[in-house]
Amino acid sequence: MDIASYAKDEKWAMHPGLVENREVSLVGAVGMWEKWNKAANDRIRVWFGARTPGGVSDALYKEMTGISKEKGIPITMHCAEVKADRGFFDSQSHTPMSYCDSVGLLGPSTVLVHMVHLDDSDIAKLAETGTHVAHCPTSNAKLASGICRLPELLDSGVNVGLGTDGAPCNNTNDLLQEMKLAAIIHKAKSYDPTIVSAEQVLEMATISGAKALGLEDSIGSLEVGKKADFVAIDMRKCHLQPYFSPVSAVVYSVTGRDVEMVVVDGKVVVEGGKLTTMDEEEVWREAERRSREIVERAGLAEKVKGRWPLK
């Protein structure tokens, strides 16, 4: 991000301290890619993370996309999330995807996040270029951004994965809860209870997400030759019974609290619902302490507290 603005809405202008010049952001990212990409037994992948259009100059976008193609560094970027984003694109005489195409952002190595405010031509361009989308329904609902045109994206053949966005606009970062909202919110909007099936949503959370990351050959499904990456869910609970379709039960009923085991590349990292790699309580207690310190330093203690008085 080399411009301290967000879309065309001045009240969302960025703090000057967040602005990074070319050397810090672009050159720095390339340095991190050279040092860390495929480290930790290939569990680390380094990408470009560009700021939303309006916060990055055309020149920096074009240089980044050129390096991306030259070195094979993927790109992720939030785009067309709020109505103010459309204001920026309109000011450039573009639709969201015609602008992204003009600076070289579209292609199979790019994941665009949110993508709420799209025209039909934008959806067609995404399908044509093989650009991936990350759908974040909880964030879009909580921030009142709008509802992504997911059914149209899927019908057009666009690969769509599922995301939680960040903790401030999601709270739980629970991908299983995200699946439920993705499955029901589009039904409410379309008045069609059959639209966006449980099977489609489970694919978005697994193999489609792996495809968006360029990792569908190694993760995203249980197949011979792929890594042992999976979760095991304990269905022997009252709130999960009875069920007739395992997929439907997972999408509509299960949350992260029901996960019994998590295996990453053959290593058990959650067993009996508990992390095996770190002390959970130690982590959340430190997080609680540090978050309060940040809020106090920022002078936001009164703003972030709840509406009801607490004693």
Side-chain angles (χ1 to χ4, degrees):
M1 178 171 61
D2 60 346
I3 303 174
S5 64
Y6 179 82
K8 291 293 288 185
D9 198 324
E10 292 184 359
K11 73 174 181 290
W12 289 343
M14 305 305 296
H15 189 282
L18 295 174
V19 177
E20 297 177 332
N21 59 28
R22 173 187 176 276
E23 284 67 32
V24 171
S25 60
L26 188 63
V27 177
V30 173
M32 291 299 98
W33 178 79
E34 292 172 344
K35 181 177 181 179
W36 293 108
N37 194 55
K38 297 188 177 182
N41 196 28
D42 199 21
R43 286 186 291 110
I44 295 175
R45 295 294 178 99
V46 179
W47 289 37
F48 287 127
R51 181 64 180 167
T52 304
V56 181
S57 65
D58 285 7
L60 190 59
Y61 270 139
K62 290 177 180 178
E63 186 176 6
M64 178 192 70
T65 56
I67 295 172
S68 169
K69 292 177 174 62
E70 175 192 345
K71 295 183 177 293
I73 305 176
I75 299 168
T76 185
M77 183 185 78
H78 289 208
C79 188
E81 179 180 1
V82 297
K83 287 185 177 180
D85 287 323
R86 287 308 304 250
F88 169 77
F89 294 122
D90 291 344
S91 74
Q92 306 296 306
S93 299
H94 276 291
T95 70
M97 293 306 96
S98 69
Y99 174 82
C100 288
D101 197 28
S102 74
V103 294
L105 280 163
L106 301 185
S109 293
T110 295
V111 177
L112 298 177
V113 186
H114 298 302
M115 301 290 276
V116 174
H117 300 279
L118 301 178
D119 294 343
D120 289 346
S121 63
D122 294 318
I123 295 174
K125 179 62 72 172
L126 288 165
E128 175 191 332
T129 58
T131 307
H132 309 278
V133 170
H135 179 38
C136 304
T138 298
S139 173
N140 296 157
K142 185 178 180 183
L143 298 182
S145 301
I147 299 176
C148 171
R149 296 177 62 186
L150 177 64
E152 293 94 331
L153 287 166
L154 294 175
D155 287 346
S156 296
V158 177
N159 182 60
V160 184
L162 199 60
T164 60
D165 202 3
C169 47
N170 183 281
N171 294 82
T172 65
N173 283 352
D174 185 339
L175 193 64
L176 287 154
Q177 291 188 53
E178 204 74 31
M179 283 198 287
K180 179 176 181 177
L181 187 57
I184 64 177
I185 196 169
H186 304 286
K187 293 175 171 59
K189 183 182 179 183
S190 66
Y191 303 102
D192 181 353
T194 67
I195 209 165
V196 186
S197 68
E199 287 78 8
Q200 284 178 301
V201 172
L202 187 58
E203 288 178 351
M204 287 168 59
T206 53
I207 190 63
S208 296
K211 183 178 180 181
L213 298 176
L215 298 173
E216 70 271 28
D217 291 337
S218 59
I219 63 172
S221 59
L222 292 177
E223 299 181 56
V224 174
K226 287 192 174 186
K227 294 181 179 181
D229 274 49
F230 62 90
V231 302
I233 297 166
D234 186 355
M235 300 297 292
R236 299 167 299 178
K237 299 178 180 179
C238 287
H239 67 280
L240 301 179
Q241 295 289 337
Y243 66 88
F244 302 94
S245 163
V247 174
S248 182
V250 168
V251 171
Y252 291 110
S253 303
V254 170
T255 74
R257 297 177 182 87
D258 300 311
V259 172
E260 176 74 14
M261 176 181 289
V262 177
V263 177
V264 176
D265 196 10
K267 179 182 178 181
V268 177
V269 296
V270 173
E271 189 167 18
K274 296 291 184 181
L275 281 169
T276 63
T277 57
M278 61 189 74
D279 186 322
E280 288 186 34
E281 183 172 343
E282 179 183 349
V283 171
W284 70 253
R285 286 192 181 280
E286 181 176 355
E288 181 183 40
R289 175 175 61 82
R290 292 185 180 274
S291 64
R292 293 185 184 280
E293 290 174 355
I294 292 170
V295 169
E296 290 294 335
R297 289 202 307 273
L300 296 174
E302 288 299 310
K303 181 166 284 190
V304 301
K305 71 178 184 180
R307 297 181 181 181
W308 292 352
L310 299 176
K311 294 183 180 179

